[in-house]
Amino acid sequence: MMTRVISPLLAVMLLAASPAGAALAPDAPVMVAAAKRKPAKRQPTPVPAPPQEAAPAAPVTPDVTPPVSATPESGSTGSAAPQDSSATPSSEPSLDFDLLTPEAEASAGLLDPNLQKDLETRRTMLKLHQGLGLAMAGGLTAATVLGQIQFSRSFTDGGGDDRSLLAWHRGVVIGTSLLFATVGTLGILAPDPVERPFQWDTVTFHKIFMSLATAGMIAQAVLGILATHSYGEITEPKYATAHQVVGYATLGCVAAGIVTLTF
């Protein structure tokens, strides 16, 4: 045991006495101490923790309060109204128009004077056409009633040849025929400056019925004349019967023509 301790000391002393040992003498104790020092246990290297994500910062709401204008145009409220970028500049013409324009001025500006005159003429003629047409229908009804009474007295009652109502019947027929011609002329000559495509409407049916009534009026006049000139002959009842049938058919066509425009 003593030998193990003394041997290192002698070695150190020999090294210190030699020139090379003098240079290494200061570091000898350090080397001996380092030799005797036990190696330290290796400590585990700490693992750094992952950085945490920072929470998003709350948005900062800018102050949207409009600044108070100190100009006189700001008004008594003290806040300036926001300007609309889509507003029409004052330099452009306005698209507004007056809806309360008088009717006469609007008509004069929208309708051609000649067209307006034709429309007024048509309106006047058609009003006369309507009024005289109702009067004609009344006269035709009276002529039909008188003709039926006269036909019954002459051919079916057997009470003799009584022609007392024949003059009245002729007079009403002549007046009704004149009214019928006037009404038809007004309807045909009334100007129609606006072109309309053909369609099956009430006006079309009115024209059809009144055309049939016109043919009936002509046929009645011819049959009435033939019946009068055949007085006392065997053909007189035949002409009178045909005159009666055509008379009822004509009255029906006139009534249908009036109904199509009324309802």
Side-chain angles (χ1 to χ4, degrees):
M1 182 68 181
M2 293 296 293
T3 304
R4 293 179 181 178
V5 176
I6 294 173
S7 296
L9 291 177
L10 291 176
V12 171
M13 290 175 65
L14 290 175
L15 290 173
S18 63
L24 297 175
D27 297 334
V30 178
M31 294 177 62
V32 175
K36 294 183 177 180
R37 186 181 302 168
K38 294 181 180 180
K41 294 182 180 180
R42 186 177 181 181
Q43 299 293 333
T45 305
V47 179
Q52 297 181 357
E53 296 182 358
V60 180
T61 304
D63 187 9
V64 296
T65 306
V68 179
S69 176
T71 57
E73 290 79 0
S74 60
S76 60
T77 58
S79 60
Q83 297 294 330
D84 188 2
S85 60
S86 63
T88 304
S90 58
S91 60
E92 296 183 2
S94 176
L95 298 178
D96 295 337
F97 53 91
D98 188 10
L99 294 176
L100 300 178
T101 306
E103 184 178 0
E105 182 179 353
S107 299
L110 296 177
L111 295 180
D112 182 69
N114 296 329
L115 177 62
Q116 187 176 5
K117 182 178 179 180
D118 291 342
L119 291 176
E120 292 177 355
T121 304
R122 176 179 176 81
R123 186 180 300 109
T124 302
M125 294 180 68
L126 291 182
K127 285 183 178 180
L128 291 174
H129 175 82
Q130 182 180 12
L132 295 178
L134 294 176
M136 180 270 300
L140 187 60
T141 302
T144 304
V145 171
L146 291 174
Q148 178 61 47
I149 295 174
Q150 182 61 57
F151 182 86
S152 299
R153 289 182 178 181
S154 300
F155 304 104
T156 60
D157 291 344
D161 191 5
D162 185 4
R163 303 292 178 100
S164 59
L165 296 178
L166 186 59
W168 287 97
H169 175 71
R170 288 177 179 174
V172 175
V173 167
I174 292 173
T176 302
S177 299
L178 293 176
L179 282 175
F180 190 92
T182 304
V183 170
T185 302
L186 289 173
I188 294 174
L189 297 182
D192 191 6
V194 180
E195 296 183 1
R196 299 181 180 87
F198 176 80
Q199 56 184 356
W200 293 99
D201 53 3
T202 56
V203 176
T204 302
F205 285 106
H206 173 77
K207 292 179 180 180
I208 292 174
F209 286 126
M210 297 312 297
S211 298
L212 295 175
T214 302
M217 291 292 292
I218 297 174
Q220 280 190 99
V222 174
L223 292 173
I225 294 173
L226 292 175
T228 301
H229 287 283
S230 301
Y231 178 72
E233 299 179 1
I234 194 174
T235 58
E236 181 184 6
K238 295 181 181 180
Y239 289 131
T241 302
H243 177 79
Q244 179 189 26
V245 172
V246 174
Y248 280 112
T250 303
L251 181 61
C253 290
V254 171
I258 294 174
V259 170
T260 54
L261 291 183
T262 305
F263 301 100

